[in-house]
Structure formats: structure tokens, C-alpha cells
Amino acid sequence: MLVLIPGQLSKIPLAAPLPTELARALDEHSAALPEHERIQLRVAVHAGEVAGDSYGYTGTAINLTFRLVNSAPLRGALDKSDGLVALAASTWFYDEVIQHHASARPKSYRRVFVENKETRIHAWISRPDDPYPDRVSDDDVIPDRDFEERYVDFVREDNSGFELFKVARRRGSRDYSFDKYYVVPPITRRQAATSAPELTGAGTDSANAIAGARRVLLLGGAGAGKTTFLTWLANDVARRHDEEGPWHRVVPFLISLRHFSETNLPDDLERLLAAVAPALAEEKPAGWVTELFGSGRAMLLVDGLDELVENRRAKAQRWIEKFVRSYPDARYVVSTRPSAVDDHWFVDTDTAIGLDRFELPELSRPGLGRVIDRWFAAAADLEPSAEQQELLKSYPQRLRAELDTRPNLRGLVSSPLMAGLLCALYREDQYLPRTRRDLLDQALDLLLARWDDTAHRGMAVVGELDLVKTEKQILLERFASPMVRRNELLVPRPDALDRLGEAKKELRAQAIDSGQLLQHLLERSVLRENPADHKIQFLHRTFRDYLAAADIVKRGSLDELASRAHEDSWYEVVFMAAARAREGEVADLLDALLRRARRSSTDRSTADRLKLVAAACLEYADVVDPYSRRLEVEKAARQLVPPADVQQAEMLAKAGRFVVGLLPGPDELTGPNRDTAAAAVLRTLALVGGEEAWEKIRPFTAMHQSTVVEELLRGWRTFDFSDEYAADLLSKVDFGERVLNVHRWGMLSPLRHLTTLRAVKLIGDLALVSDRDGMRPLAALQRLRRLEIASNEIVRDLHPLADCAVLRVLIISGYSALRDLSGLKGSPVQELRLLTIGRTVHGYPSLGTLAGTGLSSLTIRHPGLSGGLDPLPADLPLTELAVHNRADSRSLLGIERFPLLAKVTVTGVPQPKEIAALCALPGLRHLVLHDAHPVADLARLQPLADRLDVLELRGVDAPDVRSAMKAVGGELTAKLRTRAHS
């Protein structure tokens, strides 16, 4: 809405009281509304000349005002505010009006930089109902903080969407909102011999897992969505920068390694910004990036380690190692295909710093369903016709039903990319492909021919090139194969023009200017141009590999394929070649692979890889002639059983169902690596699937090692989280004290079969009771003793837990809608850890509702304890209390109301009045202090010397221990225990 005020009227009311009155009126309007229906308002004010006529008003002043109101800094200010209004004022309006009137609170304005279209100016932002702290002086513009906010806003805006494969039938690419259309994938911990107590094999919430691990190597196959996930993560971290929680004040830096295929990565931390946000690099405060990494607030996201040639990949690995070792407290996520890194590279262990392995698993049946739903929702939102919208909304259910009857096809679309291809084909004519080659062929036909025909049917198109689909495909094949040979994902535009000049020789297109030809292919094919550096790339690497394979097969270069087949960057090309080749050519390719594997000059590792590649080709090829060649490959595959590791298992599984009969049972596995071998066998069986694999999995349920249990859970995911799998297989597993991560409602009911399960962690918005039938699935877990509810914004009370007969420990963490704790009254819960995060100061549980509960141990972080512990009911029979508020936002006054307390844990050194209250506790024996700084203040604790048996200091490094001993005095020194930062 545009409001114009005549120039002769005073501008002062626009500075005050208008912003405050707007906020008050909106608050009154929203008071009775649910939180998700509250209205927030962005306002911009400026003054200048405008011109009006019968069509309306125009002027640069109006343009500037609209750019202010739509600017990223103003959007970010409102996103991060607990209030309802954010106001942007131009520099002129601030200088001439606002700063001269105290009622406008000029010192609460924050100076920002606005970059919107061609506009690049400074402006001032205010939040009238959630004001920024006043600046100390007019010169105090807090440069580091202001720059950080601008940079975080840039990251959020620059990574605000992702590409859904060809939802829009038009030229070019389009970004779609993460919030509306993205299905955030679960991740699983890669097989590792760790003592990690949480089981993630069935999938776990990705953001929670990464926040907990801090340093992550994220593995994912072709089309698994690694780049999109890292883009989403950068956006999510930036959006939550000012919120309490795991991303509080974390600053993300997203690096795509494909842009460093020929240039060096920045060795100097301060040069990192030039690679991420070059437009802001010159304005960066000195030492800003180094301070972020040193303080642990930086998150480095490195995408595409597999997209570099081997020698440059090794340099990138050393670059990553250097940063991690130099700044171990920072956060890191590095993505790659599994085959591009050795399983032993830079592994995080108890004795050496490194990267925790996680992976993006293949889409489960429910996950595939959600991707299909979002794809068609995006398509419907773009469709102007109401009739077409309704038709598109009907497709997801029909497509899912058809996939349920064709499990083999579901295996073809187990990645987001392939699922998007399937959706695009199904929208056109409800076509369902039979093979991966069929899927890719039809997708190319759709992109290169059918959509052009549909768009231009009955129309005379001026300036279009007369290229048939076959000619376009040949051009793309000839363009792709040099990229594969050079391991390129990006080609500079001049080089692209030269290569098209070569590719068009002996085609009708030879007479067409290469520039026109390139532009046509950018608009009407799977090529796209990177707007930042104008380099040319394929829509996805899968298209590059598929088209290159077609060119190599046409040229009869099968020996070239065999000579490069052991290189991880060529795996998909060889598989695609097997799919494209005729039956005799497939036999020749397999023969070449086996001959090379048998050569005496070929080392054992390379020979094994070649045999695995040959075995995997069998699943891609429709027919092999002569059939004896298939039998030779199957014989060679027997030599690789059992698979040595998960990578071999995944490759072997591509060979198809014949490998199931080759795999050993648990009794046939021996030696020190028996657990690892068993896990690899289970991975193979789960990926192959089917009844025979199910039966082969059964005897492994008697093995209870973590690596084996994780793979059994992964198998459950592959078998659609079925009730039958849980009852028949998982019911025999001994889970011990390990915590099972649950991230979807459909997993809860089958858990009743897991009779040894004692600990569960619910992650995300999972209800505790079914709205449909009132079922309380957790009550059916007869041995459930420990439950964590994390990042759940739908559970408002705990009454559904009343029937959990042996539940002893309850943990509530992360963002939470929980308000009522009275459901714990009469329950067997003895230990409660209440570590929730509220969206506002009122968004926390009511502590008074704990009255009458039988809690003996309470760990809590709550803003209501800033003035003392009186909000806690006095009838709690507490023997242990841990208050995790910051030292400046908690008080222990009132603790004397809990005379049974024997152990107390707090942050910082208690004040004298708090120590007096602690002295009133007759049974206090153990005091734990986190981050007790300054150490000299520990002298205050001396009145507790004759009461404590243990004084434990956590977060005190070795140099401070001697000072701590001196401060507490001789009597407490003997009782002192210390623990440094982990």
C-alpha cells in the first residue's frame, strides 16, 4: 500500500507516534488470533518529489521507498523480531526528521546497507514494539554487528529457494520456496565403529544431527540432493541466526567446489568472503571472519568434493583438514559422493579430530510420496486455470497408487532428481517408464521436443532455430563427452562456443552461428548458464553423464570406458553406457572390464573395483548377448562376497537379485572385522530388497552390535517401515540402552514390537496421541524408561504419557509449544530435563503446573527463573537441581524451599546472597559450576567449605586450575574436581 502525504504537512508524526501506534493497533487486532494468523507489517518512509497523472503517481522517491520496504535487511529485521512492525527510513528522512526528535527514539535505529536492483544505499531500521538497544552515541554504529546482520541477510536471500525439476513449462530456471515446497531429508549416520548411543539407521532429523555433530562429512549418491540440502541449510542457519537454539549467532559460509576446478581455494580466512559474497568483501571489518572461526560461530559448508579431479580433490581435502584442525570449534559440513573419498579419510574419533560420517539415504516410500506431493503443489500454484489446478492436485494420489503396484519402478526414482523427472513425465501423459534409460530418454524427449511442440502449437515463432530433437541431442552428447573426460562441471562461455563449433560439424546446424546455437540450447535443453560467472553447465550432472555415455557408445570407444571405469567420477558414465549400448556392445564392455581386472599389472583394489562395476552394469543392461558373458560377470562377483565395506556393498547391490544367494549368513562371518562385514552384507540385502533378502536378513537379528543394529534399522526404512518387518525382525534385536531416533509418526505404532527398546528420541512435530482414533503409541512400549521430545511445536501438554508405566527420565528440548506440565502428576517420571526454547518470552512451559509431581531431579533452562526460584512449586521432592540459565539471567534465591537437595548445578559463580541461600540447604553435598569465570570470584564459596563433599568446576582450562585452588581455599581445594572444555 502506498500512502502519499502533501509536502506542506509536517513529517514529524511519521517518525513519532505513527510507528508506535501502528504496532499498538496491530497488537490489539491480533490479540484474539492464533499465533500463525498474526499480522506483521513492514513500513518504509522517505520524502521527495512525485509526479501524478490519470494513471497514478511516479517518481524516483516512490521507487526508492518500495525498494526499502522490500529490502532484505527490513525483511530480516521483522523475521527476527518478537514484535509486529519494522520500519525503514531513508538516510535523508533519518537525518532531517527522526534524529531531531527524542520521541522517535533515534538511538534505537540501526544503520543498514540496502542492495535492491540498481539501488545501493544506506538506510535506518527501527522495530518500534521490539526495539534495538540504544546506541551509546551517534558515532556508535556497531560496525561488526551491523555488517554481520547484513551478511546474514545476504546469505538468507541468496539461498532462499531451490530448483524443482521442470515444474514450469517455460524457458530458464526458477527458484521455489524452501518453506513451501522443499522436503527436508532425514540423514543417517554412516556405518562407523563408534560408541554413539543414538541409533539413526531409520533416519533422523538432519538439522538436529548436524548441530550435534558439528563436523560432518555428508555422503550422497547421484541425484540425492546434496547441493540443495546445503543450500537449504545455509538458508536455515541464516534465518535462525538471532533465535535461541543450535544456530544462535552462527554465521554460514557456503562454498561450491565446482567453481574451484581451476583456481585455488582461499588459504587466508579473511579472503573467504570474496568467494562467498564478493559484493560485501570490501566492506568487511578487519579480522571479522577469523573472529567467527576462532569463537566457533562460523559454519563452513563445502559442496561437491567429488566434483574435482583427483589431484585437486586431494588439495581440497588438505584445505579442509587445515581449517578443521586450526579452528576445531567452528562447524563444518562437507558433501560428496561416497565413492570419491576413502572410508578412512579424516574420521572423527575419540583421540583425533575429524569429520563424522552421515549420509542422505535413498527416498523411502513416505519420503517419495512427500516429494511427489510438493512437486505437484508447485505445478498447481503456477497454473492459472482453476480446472488445471484441480487436475494437478489429483495426480499425486494417482501416481503414488501406481507406484505401489510397481516396486521395481520405485527403485528407479529413489532420489529427488529422479522423482522430479517422473513427476514431469506423469503430468504430460501419465507415462511410467520401465527402466532408468527409459526414464532419462523420455525426460530428454520432453525437454528437447515435446514442450517446444506444445508451447508453439499453431503459432508462427519468429527467430527460432529450426532444430529437431535428434540434432539437439547429438549436439549435447558431443558437448558432454569432453566435459566427462576433463572431469568438468562448468565450462567458460568462450570454451563452450568453441566446443559447439566442433560439435556441429557435419550436422545441419553447422551453418548456424555458435552464439545463437548456445542460446537456443540454454533456453530449450538441459544446459544452463551460471549468472555469476557465465559458465555453462548441465541442469544436473546425471544428464551430463548420460549424454556423454551415449556419445562414447556411438563412437565405439568401449575400451576407453574400461580404462577409466575404476575412477569414481566415471562410474555413472559406465553404468549409463551399459544402459545405452546394444546387447552385443554390452557384452564387449563387460569383457573389456573383466580382461582389465585379470591383468597382472592391475592391482587388487583396482581389479575389485572393475569387477564391481561390471556386476553393477548387469542391472542397467536390458539384455547381454551372448548370455555367457553375464555368467562370467556373476562368477567374478562371487569373488567379492562378502563385500569388504559399505561402498562395495552399495556397488554389489546394483548387480540385482542374483547376489542375494551369494551372500553369507552371520555364522559364516569370522575374524576381527565380523561386525563390519555383517553390516556390509545387510546393506547389500536391504538395497536389493524382496522376500529372499528379507529371509536372508533374519539370522542377523541375533547380532546386537551397534553397526549391525543400525543396518537392520536401515533395512526397515527400505521395507517402508512396515509393521511386519518390526514384528518379524526387529522384535528379536536387543537394543540395550541405545536411543532410537524417531522422526515420523508412522514409525511409532510398530515400535510396540520392539520389546527390548528402553529409550526413544522423538524429533520434530510428532503428536503423542492420534487425532483420528486417540491411540497413544508410546504407552505400548512396555520397557520405555527414557524419552526425549526434541524440536516439537505441536505437543502442548504431557497427559498422553500418563500410561507409560515405567518411564523414569523425560527430556524436553529445542523449540517447543509445551505449556502444561501437569500431566506428570501421578506419573512414574523421576527425572525431568526441561531445556525448551520459546519463540517469545511467553513461549515457555508454566512452571506452576509442576505442582504435585514426584520429581527428584530437575534440569531446567527457563526465563522465569531470572529473579529467583519462586516460580518452582515448593512441594517438589528434589534431590538434584541444575539451572542452565546464563549467570546473568538466573537467581538461586528461594532454593532453600527444597531442603532435600544434595546436588546443585549452575552456570557462573553464585552471588553472595545466592551462596547464603545454598548454605540453608541441610543436605547439600555436591556443587557443580559451569564456566566459573572470573576464577577469582570462587573465593565467595568459602562459607560452603564445611558443607560440601565435592566442588566440581566444568569448563575451567588447565591454566586456571591453580588460580581456582588458591581462590577456594585449602579446605575446598581437597574437594575440588575439574573438567576442561571438551
Side-chain angles (χ1 to χ4, degrees), residues 84 115 136 198 219 240 247 268 277 279 306 325 338 407 471-473 482 529 566 620 663 805 841 928 973:
L84 302 176
E115 186 172 7
V136 175
E198 294 191 4
L219 305 163
R240 301 183 187 279
W247 307 139
D268 181 355
D306 56 299
R325 291 194 173 106
E471 196 166 13
K472 285 188 202 176
Q473 186 159 335
E529 185 173 22
H566 66 289
Y620 287 81
L663 294 169
V841 293
V928 181
T973 296

Side-chain angles (χ1 to χ4, degrees), residues 44 54 194 255 259 316 324 484 568 578 597 615 620 633 639 653 655 696 702 746 762 829 907 976:
S54 58
T194 68
I255 291 279
H259 295 294
V324 173
V484 166
D568 62 88
Y620 287 81
V633 173
Q639 302 168 21
K696 200 89 175 190
L762 305 182
V829 174
T907 300
L976 191 63

Side-chain angles (χ1 to χ4, degrees), residues 295-367:
S295 65
R297 292 202 296 121
M299 172 182 269
L300 181 61
L301 305 169
V302 182
D303 181 45
L305 191 58
D306 56 299
E307 296 179 353
L308 299 175
V309 295
E310 192 168 344
N311 65 325
R312 297 201 69 86
R313 187 187 308 162
K315 289 181 180 179
Q317 288 174 297
R318 291 193 294 272
W319 181 80
I320 292 164
E321 290 175 26
K322 185 186 79 170
F323 274 113
V324 173
R325 291 194 173 106
S326 301
Y327 302 96
D329 293 331
R331 300 169 185 269
Y332 303 87
V333 183
V334 181
S335 76
T336 182
R337 294 188 185 188
S339 56
V341 293
D342 186 275
D343 275 344
H344 304 291
W345 173 66
F346 208 33
V347 176
D348 196 69
T349 67
D350 293 336
T351 57
I353 196 169
L355 302 175
D356 274 339
R357 262 65 169 166
F358 284 85
E359 57 187 318
L360 290 165
E362 295 184 332
L363 288 173
S364 64
R365 177 176 175 271

Side-chain angles (χ1 to χ4, degrees), residues 360-400:
L360 290 165
E362 295 184 332
L363 288 173
S364 64
R365 177 176 175 271
L368 176 59
R370 286 192 292 273
V371 170
I372 291 170
D373 288 345
R374 299 288 177 87
W375 194 97
F376 280 105
D381 286 348
L382 290 179
E383 181 60 57
S385 162
E387 181 181 353
Q388 284 297 312
Q389 286 180 10
E390 290 306 311
L391 180 63
L392 287 168
K393 289 176 182 177
S394 72
Y395 281 171
Q397 184 175 356
R398 291 159 55 181
L399 178 54
R400 289 197 304 270

Side-chain angles (χ1 to χ4, degrees), residues 881-904:
L881 174 65
V883 180
H884 281 293
N885 291 36
R886 294 195 311 269
D888 60 357
S889 60
R890 65 106 176 95
S891 170
L892 296 179
L893 298 183
I895 198 170
E896 66 277 2
R897 296 180 306 129
F898 307 103
L900 300 179
L901 280 172
K903 181 178 180 180
V904 173

Side-chain angles (χ1 to χ4, degrees), residues 44 46 59-69 90-91 114 119 121:
H46 180 47
T60 56
I62 292 177
N63 292 342
L64 177 59
T65 307
F66 273 105
R67 287 173 185 173
L68 287 176
V69 84
S90 66
T91 297
V114 172
T119 299
I121 59 167

